[in-house]
Structures are given as C-alpha cells and as structure tokens.
Amino acid sequence: MPKVEANNIYLGDSCELLKEIEANSISLSFWSPPYFLGKEYEEGESYESWQSMLKTVITEHFRILKPGGFLVINIADILSFEDEKMPKIMGLNPSNRKCAVTREMVIKAKEEHPDFNRDQLAALLNCSEQTIDRRLNGNNIRGGRYATGTHVKLVGGNLEQYAYDAGLFLYDKRIWKKDPAWANCKWTTNTLKAVSETEDLYVFWKTGEYVVNRDRLTPQEWKDWGYRQIWEISSVRANDIHPAMFPLTLASRIVKLYTDEGDIVLDPFLGSGTTAIAAVKLNRKFIGIEKMKKYYDVADKAIKQAQADFETDLFRQQ
C-alpha cells in the first residue's frame, strides 16, 4: 500500500515522499517551486542544488501521473541572477544625479591642478570624493566594486529538458499577468530593466488519452480565459502567512481546466495550501507535501476549513 494517499497532506521532503505515491494515480500536479530568491525555505541552496531538486521532482512525475495527466509548473525567470563574470558596470543615469558636477568639470580641474588628488578635487568642486571617482571612472565602479554583478537567468528551458528526459512533453505555456512587483524591482530606477509583472505556467503532458470536457467550464469561462494564453489575475495582496502565495483564482483555473470531479490533484510544494483548497472547493481529491512545519500547520488549518465549508454547502443544497 502506498504511504502517501489522497485527501492528506504530509510534512517532509518531496524528493522522498513522491516515491510513496501510487503509480499512475495523479491526474494533475500543480505547483510553484522555490524560486531561488534567498527566502527562508531556500536556506543553504545553491543554484546547482536547486536545479537538482527540480530535476528530481519532475522526473518522479512520470511514474505518478496518470497516462494523459498533466504537470503544471508556475515559475518566473530569475531577474537578478548573481554571476561573478558579469561586468560591474551600470548604465549612466544623469537624471538621478544629485550633484551638478560633470565629467568635463572634473577633467578641467585636473588640468588646472595636476597635483591635486581626488580629495582635493572634491573640495575644490564642492562635491564628494566618490563623485570625482564616478565621473572619472564610471557610474558604478565604486558602488559595484564589492557586489557581484547580476543578469537575467531563464529557467523554462531547464524545466523542459528535465521533463523531456523523464518522458513528459511540453504541451502548452500560459502566462499569468499579475500586479507589477515594484517592491522586487528596485533596480528599475537605475537601469533600463522592466518591472516584473508576469509569471509563466508550463504545462507538461504524460503520453496518453486526455479528456477535453467542455462541461468543466461555463461558456463564458471558456471565452474569458479557457482559450486565452494570458491570464490577468491580481497577486495576493498580503503574504502574511507565507512569503510566496499564488492566488486561489489561479489554482482554481488550473484545477478546473485539467481535471474532473474526483480526480487527484497534487502539490509537492504546498506552502499555504492554495492548490489543495482549490481542489476541495471543486470536489477533487488532493495530496500536499510541505517541508516546513510552520507552513504545514498553516495549510492544514486552511484545508480543514475549506473541507468544512464544502460539507456545509453540500448540506444546504440537499
């Protein structure tokens, strides 16, 4: 008998607990993995260990998914990936300068006072020594001397390869358009980089027949989002119980689109329990795995409340 069964959540490591799920039993696995952004639950992870974990989890899905089942991963690219090889140079931003001293003024002062050092030039021009250095050597030479440079790192290609190697095929890709993440994009004021406002939904398929059941959605739902690649859904406003929650609407759309009532929905990175709650509300079974006790407790409480609400609604309909 499998140790991990439907309508339960488990505290532990997904890499191990997925092995305890019955083969060919999961209709849908929907999850958002750790994003390698330095959050508490990613402590001690390197980029390589993070990728190894993702590969292990994805690979195990080939065994546990039903033929025709789907794996949907919600993830974003790493917008600020540290790389020692990245040059420590930042674009000039004259509009942000708080000091009117220009490079030309510094050069002229040096020509007139060839024996002056930077401190003396700064005193002459009534600015800081750092301003002299920046005007002569570049905008970010001083500020970036000790900080590792960053660039964008795409992650979707890695996921596709891990899935393909395991026997799963990239069936579809949708885009979640969320609220602009201003708080996470402080660098946008000093560069030409865009504010983050989307995440990707990679849909992988295990070979086998799948059902296109039009009754899962209303005609209006098919029109509004069933056919659409871009889903405009507001972000969770308050991440007070978990630092990386996705909205219930997002999970509900995925569950409705890819499963029927009674199917088993898996989330191996359960967090606050959103995927399982969506499954309960839509009369699907669920399995959740969470490695941190405090979030396991949060999810357990929320799921039990959703189950109680669902049973109450059924009673009222009788």
Coordinates of all heavy atoms in Angstrom, one line a residue, residues 45-91:
E45 N 20.7 26.6 -0.2 CA 20.6 26.1 -1.5 C 21.6 26.8 -2.4 O 21.7 28.1 -2.3 CB 19.2 26.3 -2.1 CG 18.1 25.3 -1.6 CD 18.1 24.0 -2.3 OE1 19.0 23.7 -3.1 OE2 17.1 23.3 -2.1
S46 N 22.2 26.1 -3.3 CA 23.0 26.7 -4.4 C 22.1 26.6 -5.7 O 21.1 25.9 -5.7 CB 24.3 26.0 -4.6 OG 24.1 24.7 -5.1
Y47 N 22.5 27.3 -6.7 CA 21.7 27.2 -7.9 C 21.8 25.8 -8.4 O 20.7 25.3 -8.9 CB 22.3 28.1 -9.0 CG 21.6 28.0 -10.3 CD1 20.4 28.6 -10.5 CD2 22.2 27.4 -11.4 CE1 19.7 28.5 -11.8 CE2 21.6 27.2 -12.6 CZ 20.3 27.8 -12.8 OH 19.7 27.7 -14.0
E48 N 22.9 25.1 -8.3 CA 23.0 23.7 -8.7 C 22.2 22.8 -7.9 O 21.5 21.9 -8.5 CB 24.5 23.3 -8.7 CG 25.4 24.0 -9.7 CD 25.7 25.4 -9.4 OE1 25.6 25.9 -8.2 OE2 26.0 26.2 -10.4
S49 N 22.1 23.0 -6.6 CA 21.3 22.1 -5.8 C 19.8 22.3 -6.0 O 19.0 21.4 -6.0 CB 21.7 22.2 -4.3 OG 21.3 23.5 -3.8
W50 N 19.5 23.6 -6.3 CA 18.1 23.9 -6.6 C 17.7 23.3 -7.9 O 16.6 22.7 -8.0 CB 18.0 25.5 -6.7 CG 16.6 26.0 -7.1 CD1 15.5 25.8 -6.4 CD2 16.3 26.8 -8.2 NE1 14.4 26.5 -7.0 CE2 14.9 27.0 -8.2 CE3 17.1 27.3 -9.3 CZ2 14.3 27.8 -9.1 CZ3 16.4 28.0 -10.3 CH2 15.0 28.3 -10.2
Q51 N 18.5 23.3 -8.9 CA 18.2 22.7 -10.2 C 18.1 21.1 -10.0 O 17.3 20.5 -10.6 CB 19.2 23.0 -11.2 CG 19.1 24.5 -11.7 CD 17.8 24.7 -12.5 OE1 17.6 24.0 -13.5 NE2 17.0 25.6 -12.1
S52 N 19.0 20.6 -9.2 CA 19.0 19.1 -9.0 C 17.7 18.7 -8.3 O 17.1 17.7 -8.7 CB 20.2 18.7 -8.1 OG 20.1 17.4 -7.8
M53 N 17.2 19.5 -7.4 CA 15.9 19.2 -6.7 C 14.8 19.3 -7.7 O 13.9 18.4 -7.7 CB 15.7 20.2 -5.6 CG 14.4 20.1 -4.8 SD 13.0 21.0 -5.6 CE 13.5 22.7 -5.4
L54 N 14.7 20.3 -8.6 CA 13.7 20.4 -9.6 C 13.7 19.2 -10.5 O 12.7 18.7 -10.9 CB 13.8 21.7 -10.3 CG 13.5 23.0 -9.6 CD1 13.8 24.2 -10.5 CD2 12.1 23.0 -9.1
K55 N 14.9 18.8 -10.9 CA 15.0 17.7 -11.8 C 14.5 16.4 -11.2 O 13.8 15.6 -11.8 CB 16.5 17.5 -12.3 CG 16.7 16.4 -13.2 CD 18.1 16.3 -13.7 CE 18.3 15.2 -14.7 NZ 19.7 15.1 -15.2
T56 N 14.8 16.2 -9.9 CA 14.4 15.0 -9.2 C 12.9 15.0 -9.1 O 12.2 13.9 -9.4 CB 15.0 15.0 -7.8 OG1 16.4 14.9 -7.9 CG2 14.5 13.7 -7.0
V57 N 12.3 16.1 -8.7 CA 10.8 16.2 -8.6 C 10.1 15.9 -9.9 O 9.1 15.2 -10.0 CB 10.4 17.5 -7.9 CG1 8.9 17.7 -8.0 CG2 10.9 17.6 -6.5
I58 N 10.6 16.6 -10.9 CA 9.9 16.5 -12.3 C 10.1 15.1 -12.8 O 9.1 14.5 -13.3 CB 10.6 17.5 -13.3 CG1 10.2 18.9 -12.9 CG2 10.1 17.2 -14.7 CD1 10.9 20.0 -13.7
T59 N 11.2 14.5 -12.6 CA 11.4 13.1 -13.1 C 10.5 12.1 -12.4 O 9.9 11.2 -13.1 CB 12.9 12.7 -12.8 OG1 13.8 13.6 -13.5 CG2 13.2 11.2 -13.3
E60 N 10.2 12.3 -11.1 CA 9.4 11.4 -10.4 C 7.9 11.5 -10.9 O 7.1 10.5 -10.8 CB 9.4 11.6 -8.9 CG 8.7 10.6 -8.0 CD 9.3 9.2 -8.2 OE1 10.5 9.1 -8.5 OE2 8.5 8.2 -8.0
H61 N 7.6 12.6 -11.5 CA 6.2 12.7 -12.0 C 5.8 11.8 -13.1 O 4.7 11.5 -13.3 CB 6.0 14.2 -12.5 CG 5.6 15.1 -11.3 ND1 6.5 15.5 -10.4 CD2 4.4 15.7 -11.0 CE1 5.8 16.3 -9.5 NE2 4.6 16.4 -9.9
F62 N 6.8 11.4 -13.9 CA 6.5 10.4 -15.0 C 5.8 9.1 -14.4 O 4.9 8.6 -15.0 CB 7.7 10.1 -15.8 CG 7.4 9.1 -16.9 CD1 6.8 9.6 -18.1 CD2 7.7 7.7 -16.8 CE1 6.5 8.7 -19.1 CE2 7.4 6.9 -17.8 CZ 6.8 7.4 -19.0
R63 N 6.3 8.7 -13.3 CA 5.8 7.5 -12.7 C 4.4 7.7 -12.0 O 3.5 6.9 -12.2 CB 6.7 7.0 -11.6 CG 6.4 5.6 -11.0 CD 7.3 5.3 -9.8 NE 7.0 6.2 -8.7 CZ 6.0 6.1 -7.8 NH1 5.2 5.1 -7.9 NH2 5.9 6.9 -6.8
I64 N 4.2 8.8 -11.4 CA 3.0 9.0 -10.6 C 1.8 9.6 -11.4 O 0.6 9.4 -11.0 CB 3.2 9.9 -9.4 CG1 3.7 11.3 -9.7 CG2 4.2 9.2 -8.4 CD1 3.9 12.2 -8.5
L65 N 2.1 10.3 -12.5 CA 1.0 10.8 -13.3 C 0.2 9.7 -14.0 O 0.8 8.8 -14.5 CB 1.5 11.8 -14.3 CG 1.9 13.2 -13.9 CD1 2.5 14.0 -15.0 CD2 0.7 14.0 -13.3
K66 N -1.1 9.9 -14.1 CA -1.9 9.0 -15.0 C -1.5 9.2 -16.5 O -1.0 10.3 -16.8 CB -3.3 9.4 -14.9 CG -4.0 8.9 -13.6 CD -5.5 9.3 -13.7 CE -6.3 8.7 -12.5 NZ -7.7 9.0 -12.7
P67 N -1.6 8.2 -17.3 CA -1.4 8.4 -18.7 C -2.4 9.5 -19.2 O -3.6 9.4 -18.8 CB -1.7 7.1 -19.3 CG -1.4 6.1 -18.3 CD -1.8 6.8 -17.0
G68 N -2.0 10.5 -19.8 CA -2.8 11.6 -20.2 C -2.9 12.7 -19.1 O -3.6 13.7 -19.3
G69 N -2.2 12.5 -18.0 CA -2.2 13.5 -16.9 C -1.3 14.7 -17.2 O -0.4 14.7 -18.1
F70 N -1.5 15.7 -16.4 CA -0.7 17.0 -16.6 C 0.1 17.4 -15.4 O -0.4 17.2 -14.3 CB -1.7 18.1 -17.0 CG -2.3 17.9 -18.4 CD1 -3.6 17.3 -18.5 CD2 -1.7 18.3 -19.5 CE1 -4.2 17.2 -19.7 CE2 -2.2 18.1 -20.8 CZ -3.5 17.6 -20.9
L71 N 1.2 18.0 -15.7 CA 2.0 18.7 -14.7 C 2.1 20.1 -15.1 O 2.6 20.5 -16.2 CB 3.4 18.0 -14.7 CG 4.6 18.9 -14.0 CD1 4.3 19.1 -12.6 CD2 5.9 18.1 -14.2
V72 N 1.7 21.0 -14.2 CA 1.7 22.4 -14.5 C 2.6 23.1 -13.4 O 2.4 23.0 -12.2 CB 0.3 23.1 -14.4 CG1 0.4 24.5 -14.8 CG2 -0.6 22.3 -15.4
I73 N 3.6 23.8 -13.9 CA 4.6 24.5 -13.0 C 4.5 26.0 -13.2 O 4.6 26.5 -14.3 CB 6.0 24.0 -13.3 CG1 6.2 22.5 -13.2 CG2 7.0 24.7 -12.4 CD1 7.5 22.0 -13.5
N74 N 4.2 26.7 -12.1 CA 4.2 28.1 -12.1 C 5.5 28.6 -11.6 O 5.9 28.4 -10.5 CB 3.0 28.6 -11.2 CG 3.1 30.1 -10.8 OD1 2.8 30.4 -9.7 ND2 3.5 30.9 -11.8
I75 N 6.2 29.4 -12.5 CA 7.6 29.8 -12.1 C 7.9 31.1 -12.9 O 7.3 31.3 -14.0 CB 8.6 28.7 -12.4 CG1 9.9 29.0 -11.6 CG2 8.8 28.5 -13.9 CD1 10.9 27.8 -11.6
A76 N 8.8 31.9 -12.4 CA 9.3 33.0 -13.1 C 10.8 32.9 -13.3 O 11.5 32.2 -12.6 CB 9.0 34.3 -12.3
D77 N 11.3 33.6 -14.4 CA 12.7 33.6 -14.6 C 13.4 34.4 -13.4 O 12.8 35.2 -12.7 CB 13.1 34.3 -15.9 CG 12.5 33.6 -17.1 OD1 12.7 32.3 -17.1 OD2 12.0 34.2 -18.0
I78 N 14.7 34.2 -13.2 CA 15.4 34.9 -12.2 C 15.9 36.2 -12.8 O 16.7 36.2 -13.7 CB 16.6 34.0 -11.7 CG1 16.2 32.7 -11.2 CG2 17.4 34.8 -10.6 CD1 17.3 31.7 -10.8
L79 N 15.3 37.3 -12.3 CA 15.6 38.6 -12.9 C 16.9 39.2 -12.4 O 17.4 40.2 -13.0 CB 14.5 39.5 -12.6 CG 13.1 39.1 -13.2 CD1 12.1 40.2 -12.9 CD2 13.2 38.8 -14.7
S80 N 17.4 38.7 -11.3 CA 18.7 39.3 -10.8 C 19.6 38.1 -10.3 O 19.8 37.9 -9.1 CB 18.4 40.2 -9.6 OG 19.5 40.9 -9.1
F81 N 20.1 37.4 -11.3 CA 20.9 36.2 -11.1 C 22.4 36.6 -10.9 O 23.0 37.3 -11.8 CB 20.8 35.3 -12.3 CG 21.6 34.0 -12.2 CD1 21.0 33.0 -11.4 CD2 22.8 33.8 -12.8 CE1 21.7 31.7 -11.3 CE2 23.5 32.6 -12.6 CZ 23.0 31.6 -11.9
E82 N 23.0 36.3 -9.8 CA 24.3 36.7 -9.5 C 25.3 35.9 -10.3 O 25.2 34.7 -10.5 CB 24.7 36.5 -8.0 CG 23.9 37.4 -7.1 CD 24.3 37.3 -5.6 OE1 25.2 36.5 -5.3 OE2 23.9 38.1 -4.8
D83 N 26.3 36.6 -10.9 CA 27.3 36.0 -11.8 C 28.6 36.7 -11.7 O 28.7 37.9 -12.0 CB 26.8 36.0 -13.2 CG 27.6 35.2 -14.2 OD1 28.8 34.9 -13.9 OD2 27.2 34.9 -15.3
E84 N 29.6 36.0 -11.2 CA 30.9 36.6 -11.0 C 31.5 37.2 -12.3 O 32.4 38.1 -12.3 CB 31.9 35.6 -10.3 CG 31.5 35.2 -8.9 CD 31.7 36.4 -7.9 OE1 32.4 37.3 -8.3 OE2 31.2 36.2 -6.8
K85 N 31.1 36.6 -13.4 CA 31.6 37.0 -14.7 C 31.0 38.3 -15.2 O 31.4 38.9 -16.2 CB 31.5 35.9 -15.7 CG 32.3 34.6 -15.4 CD 32.0 33.6 -16.5 CE 32.8 32.3 -16.1 NZ 32.6 31.3 -17.2
M86 N 29.9 38.7 -14.6 CA 29.1 39.9 -15.0 C 30.0 41.1 -14.8 O 30.4 41.4 -13.6 CB 27.8 40.0 -14.3 CG 26.9 41.1 -14.8 SD 26.2 40.8 -16.4 CE 25.2 42.2 -16.6
P87 N 30.2 42.0 -15.8 CA 31.0 43.2 -15.5 C 30.2 44.1 -14.5 O 29.0 44.2 -14.5 CB 31.0 43.9 -16.9 CG 30.8 42.8 -17.9 CD 29.9 41.8 -17.2
K88 N 31.0 44.7 -13.7 CA 30.4 45.6 -12.6 C 30.3 47.0 -13.1 O 30.9 47.9 -12.6 CB 31.2 45.5 -11.4 CG 31.3 44.1 -10.8 CD 32.2 44.0 -9.6 CE 32.2 42.5 -9.1 NZ 33.2 42.4 -7.9
I89 N 29.4 47.2 -14.1 CA 29.2 48.5 -14.7 C 27.7 48.7 -14.8 O 27.0 47.8 -15.2 CB 29.9 48.5 -16.1 CG1 31.4 48.4 -16.0 CG2 29.5 49.9 -16.8 CD1 32.0 48.2 -17.4
M90 N 27.3 49.9 -14.5 CA 25.9 50.2 -14.6 C 25.7 51.3 -15.5 O 26.5 52.2 -15.7 CB 25.4 50.6 -13.2 CG 23.8 50.5 -13.0 SD 23.3 50.6 -11.3 CE 23.8 52.3 -10.9
G91 N 24.5 51.4 -16.2 CA 24.2 52.5 -17.1 C 24.2 53.8 -16.5 O 23.8 54.0 -15.4

